[in-house]
Amino acid sequence: SRLAVALSDFGATGKKPFAATPPGRVRVYDLVGGTATLVAEKTGLDARPDRLAFAPGAGNRLAAAGGDDHATWVWDVVGDQLK
């Protein structure tokens, strides 16, 4: 199982959420074995993605969308990179 996150807001509580990331960054975690292990990261995006989804049946394809211009990105998770 994999989890993709693009978070940077600490919210009203001020507490650091799971996997808080700076704007313009996406992280993919492997959840096998009961721990969250970082397996891939994409940095340098011109906006913070608001929505993330893995393609059904293709567990290595990740789509992201967000920002003021509603940009869309699609990557393949290859080893420890998003390409």
Side-chain angles (χ1 to χ4, degrees):
S1 297
R2 289 187 174 172
L3 170 70
V5 294
L7 302 172
S8 64
D9 189 355
F10 289 92
T13 65
K15 294 181 181 179
K16 185 176 180 180
F18 171 77
T21 64
R25 182 176 295 187
V26 171
R27 291 180 174 169
V28 177
Y29 292 86
D30 188 341
L31 302 178
V32 175
T35 60
T37 304
L38 180 66
V39 294
E41 182 172 47
K42 183 70 173 179
T43 61
L45 302 176
D46 57 358
R48 185 186 81 216
D50 298 316
R51 305 288 186 263
L52 300 167
F54 283 102
N60 64 335
R61 175 86 28 110
L62 176 66
D68 293 337
D69 63 353
H70 308 290
T72 303
W73 304 272
V74 178
W75 304 287
D76 287 320
V77 180
V78 180
D80 63 350
Q81 297 181 356
L82 297 174
K83 295 185 176 190

